[in-house]
Amino acid sequence: MTFLEKCFPSWISFGASGGPQRRTRILTFANGHEIRATNWVGSRRRYDAGTGIRSLADLHHVLAFFEETRGRLIGFRFKDPFDHSTAAWGQAITAEDELIATGNGTATTFQLTKAYGDPGSPYNRIIRKPVSGTLRLAVDGVHVALGPQASLDTQTGLVTIHGDPPAAGTRITAGFEFHTPVRFDTDHLEASLTHFSAGQVPSVPLVEINL
């Protein structure tokens, strides 16, 4: 087992710090001009869940989770406190939040994605760990019900529309909550009751994994 379909304690992740990371190479010439290139196709998120620990009970939950995942060995779900929904901050999810595909008349399975930036040049992030029960789906603005009309694989983020495939040119849109797949980025968690009593919490590094 390399991935545990279980979410890191959400009340602890709510206080975590972190965000997306990029890897860029920059070559600077004598005249000050630059050539920039990226080493990564997409971004990779890093977090420190230690900032979310508020009590000894929280610390025990983290230590138990660390043991369950065998340190860095097994990945798991993490609710990013800043980015876990397709809806705008404070807004409700709708079936037209994200354009995930355009029909071609033959395809019936589509990958969930989330776009960042302007429509002209967005960064499209693949979402593989949607939250069960949160998906809203539509084809050309017409709601598609999960169960009789469509199904979602919550372990891969693949949506399958039952029956006839969407016609060429139709817009397949979706809205949903999602988790980020991560692992611990250490094989050693160091905790001290003395430091904790003084307000110093341990570092709990997490890093996004590509599934």
Side-chain angles (χ1 to χ4, degrees), residues 24-64:
T24 306
R25 302 191 312 273
I26 301 177
L27 175 62
T28 304
F29 296 96
N31 60 5
H33 290 179
E34 295 180 343
I35 294 178
R36 296 179 296 277
T38 180
N39 288 347
W40 296 349
V41 174
S43 57
R44 191 181 196 188
R45 284 151 182 79
R46 290 185 175 274
Y47 309 96
D48 189 341
T51 55
I53 297 175
R54 296 288 184 265
S55 66
L56 286 177
D58 290 348
L59 182 57
H60 280 288
H61 278 291
V62 171
L63 291 173

Side-chain angles (χ1 to χ4, degrees), residues 60-132:
H60 280 288
H61 278 291
V62 171
L63 291 173
F65 207 94
F66 180 83
E67 293 286 30
E68 184 177 8
T69 60
R70 279 66 167 173
R72 295 188 296 175
L73 181 63
I74 300 173
F76 51 91
R77 290 170 174 257
F78 178 79
K79 185 175 182 178
D80 187 321
F82 313 104
D83 188 8
H84 56 262
S85 173
T86 57
W89 190 261
Q91 302 297 313
I93 292 171
T94 75
E96 298 189 56
D97 285 347
E98 295 289 332
L99 174 65
I100 63 171
T102 301
N104 61 9
T106 58
T108 58
T109 299
F110 308 96
Q111 178 70 57
L112 292 181
T113 59
K114 181 177 179 181
Y116 297 81
D118 294 331
S121 180
Y123 166 59
N124 290 301
R125 177 186 177 188
I126 294 175
I127 303 298
R128 302 196 188 278
K129 298 298 176 183
V131 177
S132 178

Side-chain angles (χ1 to χ4, degrees), residues 1 7 20 30 40 44 71 73 92 107 126 141 144 148 165 170 180 191 200 208:
M1 180 175 62
C7 193
W40 296 349
R44 191 181 196 188
L73 181 63
I126 294 175
V144 176
T170 55
T180 300
Q200 300 177 18
E208 183 177 6

Side-chain angles (χ1 to χ4, degrees), residues 123-206:
Y123 166 59
N124 290 301
R125 177 186 177 188
I126 294 175
I127 303 298
R128 302 196 188 278
K129 298 298 176 183
V131 177
S132 178
T134 67
L135 179 65
R136 305 291 181 267
L137 184 66
V139 176
D140 266 358
V142 179
H143 179 70
V144 176
L146 290 184
Q149 296 177 300
S151 58
L152 169 66
D153 187 337
T154 58
Q155 296 187 22
T156 62
L158 291 174
V159 177
T160 299
I161 295 178
H162 304 157
D164 295 333
T170 55
R171 291 167 48 88
I172 297 94
T173 59
F176 48 89
E177 290 186 12
F178 59 91
H179 293 140
T180 300
V182 301
R183 62 167 171 78
F184 285 100
D185 199 24
T186 181
D187 276 324
H188 176 217
L189 285 185
E190 184 174 354
S192 166
L193 289 179
T194 301
H195 289 168
F196 190 85
S197 298
Q200 300 177 18
V201 296
S203 176
V204 184
L206 308 176

